[in-house]
Amino acid sequence: MKTMEQTMRWYGPNDPVTLSDIRQAGATGIVTALHEIPNGEVWTKDAIKNRKRLIEEAGLRWSVAESVPVHELIKRRSGNFQELIENYKLTIKNLASEGIHIICYNFMPILDWIRTELDYELPNGAKTLNFEMRALAAFDCFILKREGAKKSYPAHILEKAEIYYQGLTTEEVEKLKSTILDNLPGAEIGYSLEEFQDALNNYQNIDTLTLENNLHLFLNEIIPVAEENNVFLAIHPDDPPYPIFGLPRIMSTATDIKRILSENSSPNNGITFCTGSLGVREDNKLVQIIKEYGDHIHFVHLRSTKRDKEGNFYEAGHLEGDVPMYGVVKELLQLQESRNKQLPMRPDHGQQLLHDLTVKTNPGYSGIGRLKGLAELRGLMHGILNENA
Ligand code: DNO
């Protein structure tokens, strides 16, 4: 048995965490995207080649493209979505021609992942990402003032949200706004309050079934291209894995995974197994999901969260929190045995530790926190692989 391929996300030449840092952390693979290309445009062969050269010159390999963002118009099947799908197909081909065969994407409406606090301090002085329902509800009901927002939350959360909101200074309101709408890397798009409201309005007639069908139709088009080019598509789960802002969510549970994989049946149609996102729901039994859908796991994000019963969670250490990491990693290593290639994993996010606390890095993507996460996970893999030695 071998370890999984150890990778780290890199946000490109402007990332304060360098390729050399990542190599020193012990990763051999890079997960990245051409973040500078606007959503919907083709990633040309040249642009891919140039980025790949930088990675290889640093002694690393470009293992996964994360993400090739799906344009909002494709999710809504509106405007020139057909042209945008053609662009997506071309990007798949171009990546494959440069040897990049795994593509991570998501189908979350408007926003990618969401947190309400980027610097939640833990008792030991480290900082981490946090998601609080009262903050989300405060933003939704009292800052955005979305029509009907109050119906989205139980009374006790609304009550907490109101008290929380009343306690915020003007600066804190601004901070919450930008944390939710404009601060997390990867989505490539930030919104002002007005833009966000407009974007929400565009989803008024899109319910869960419609969004599910839009994904299905998108996959109908891109899977044949993935198959022809030996590319493995890996949809990322919703983060958090439940509806927010009244928007439909279609990749949050084991049932969603089952539907997505069966409606477009192909070995190239797969998932990013993200323990941090899925693990926020108690009903997502992570080891069971690997057992059932392992053949379609093309990429792994390992991270843990500590959740409560109200939907709040913070990002715990990689071997702490609610994710049964030992069982998960053991199952993944077994899964890998049945394949002839290594499964790429990355320590998803990291806390801000030591030097991280004094520098500005992409939220969730500091150097030392992820180095620690990767080291712990590597140790865990090593232990499991040598259990009977
Ligand atoms: C957050 C990430 C997400 C992820 C996308 C995949 O840290 O896991 O931004 O990359 O949802 O498309």
Side-chain angles (χ1 to χ4, degrees), residues 37-306:
I37 298 185
N39 288 1
E41 286 182 21
V42 178
W43 294 13
T44 63
K45 279 191 195 172
D46 272 352
I48 296 168
K49 206 188 292 238
N50 289 339
R51 189 60 46 89
K52 189 176 149 204
R53 189 183 318 117
L54 287 184
I55 295 169
E56 290 179 352
E57 278 168 5
L60 293 157
R61 135 172 213 269
W62 186 350
S63 312
V64 179
E66 177 183 7
S67 304
V68 179
V70 179
H71 197 280
E72 276 298 300
L73 291 172
I74 298 181
K75 293 180 203 159
R76 292 182 358 234
R77 284 186 88 75
S78 168
N80 66 337
F81 73 94
Q82 201 59 54
E83 193 185 316
L84 294 163
I85 293 179
E86 293 310 314
N87 289 353
Y88 207 96
K89 290 181 189 168
L90 207 48
T91 297
I92 295 176
K93 283 188 199 158
N94 291 347
L95 280 165
S97 75
E98 291 306 318
I100 296 135
H101 289 278
I102 302 175
I103 296 181
C104 172
Y105 70 101
N106 73 74
F107 220 73
M108 290 178 249
I110 310 177
L111 297 166
D112 192 330
W113 56 309
I114 296 185
R115 298 292 180 269
T116 57
E117 194 181 0
L118 306 178
D119 49 5
Y120 174 62
E121 193 164 332
L122 296 165
N124 66 2
K127 289 184 179 167
T128 194
L129 306 180
N130 191 22
F131 182 90
E132 279 193 294
M133 285 307 276
R134 63 173 188 170
L136 188 81
F139 169 81
D140 198 4
C141 303
F142 309 118
I143 300 174
L144 178 67
K145 302 194 181 83
R146 177 173 65 89
E147 208 185 307
K150 290 189 180 161
K151 285 193 222 111
S152 305
Y153 306 91
H156 69 282
I157 298 282
L158 277 181
E159 214 172 288
K160 286 186 192 176
E162 194 158 4
I163 298 170
Y164 172 80
Y165 176 65
Q166 279 160 3
L168 294 180
T169 62
T170 319
E171 264 167 25
E172 285 165 339
V173 167
E174 284 310 308
K175 191 171 168 194
L176 180 62
K177 260 202 281 197
S178 66
T179 300
I180 293 178
L181 296 181
D182 195 21
N183 238 329
L184 294 181
E188 322 300 357
I189 292 188
Y191 297 89
S192 68
L193 221 43
E194 295 68 31
E195 287 164 346
F196 185 55
Q197 186 55 62
D198 287 346
L200 286 175
N201 294 343
N202 288 331
Y203 274 86
Q204 254 163 12
N205 298 321
I206 301 185
D207 59 7
T208 307
L209 278 179
T210 311
L211 191 68
E212 282 173 6
N213 195 43
N214 291 357
L215 170 62
H216 170 62
L217 296 172
F218 174 56
L219 290 176
N220 276 350
E221 298 225 28
I222 63 168
I223 286 175
V225 181
E227 285 171 344
E228 272 158 38
N229 291 278
N230 194 29
V231 164
F232 293 88
L233 302 167
I235 188 168
H236 190 282
D238 303 326
D239 184 359
Y242 36 73
I244 43 166
F245 302 123
L247 291 165
R249 288 292 223 194
I250 60 169
M251 175 46 182
S252 298
T253 63
T255 315
D256 290 333
I257 295 175
K258 185 174 184 180
R259 187 198 61 251
I260 292 168
L261 297 179
S262 61
E263 281 186 359
N264 288 86
S265 151
S266 159
N268 301 65
N269 182 24
I271 64 170
T272 296
F273 183 67
C274 176
T275 57
S277 306
L278 292 168
V280 161
R281 289 179 71 117
E282 207 179 340
D283 57 348
N284 280 336
K285 303 295 175 216
L286 298 175
V287 174
Q288 194 54 33
I289 293 179
I290 308 173
K291 285 190 202 289
E292 276 177 46
Y293 307 108
D295 288 349
H296 294 269
I297 294 178
H298 299 318
F299 181 32
V300 176
H301 285 180
L302 295 176
R303 155 170 83 81
S304 187
T305 51
K306 184 72 202 155

Side-chain angles (χ1 to χ4, degrees), residues 282-337:
E282 207 179 340
D283 57 348
N284 280 336
K285 303 295 175 216
L286 298 175
V287 174
Q288 194 54 33
I289 293 179
I290 308 173
K291 285 190 202 289
E292 276 177 46
Y293 307 108
D295 288 349
H296 294 269
I297 294 178
H298 299 318
F299 181 32
V300 176
H301 285 180
L302 295 176
R303 155 170 83 81
S304 187
T305 51
K306 184 72 202 155
R307 57 170 186 248
D308 69 9
K309 301 265 177 224
E310 289 186 349
N312 306 309
F313 61 90
Y314 68 85
E315 301 204 355
H318 288 73
L319 302 186
E320 292 156 13
D322 295 308
V323 168
M325 202 56 92
Y326 170 79
V328 162
V329 169
K330 192 165 183 174
E331 197 62 41
L332 288 168
L333 289 173
Q334 263 160 23
L335 171 72
Q336 200 183 233
E337 272 298 274

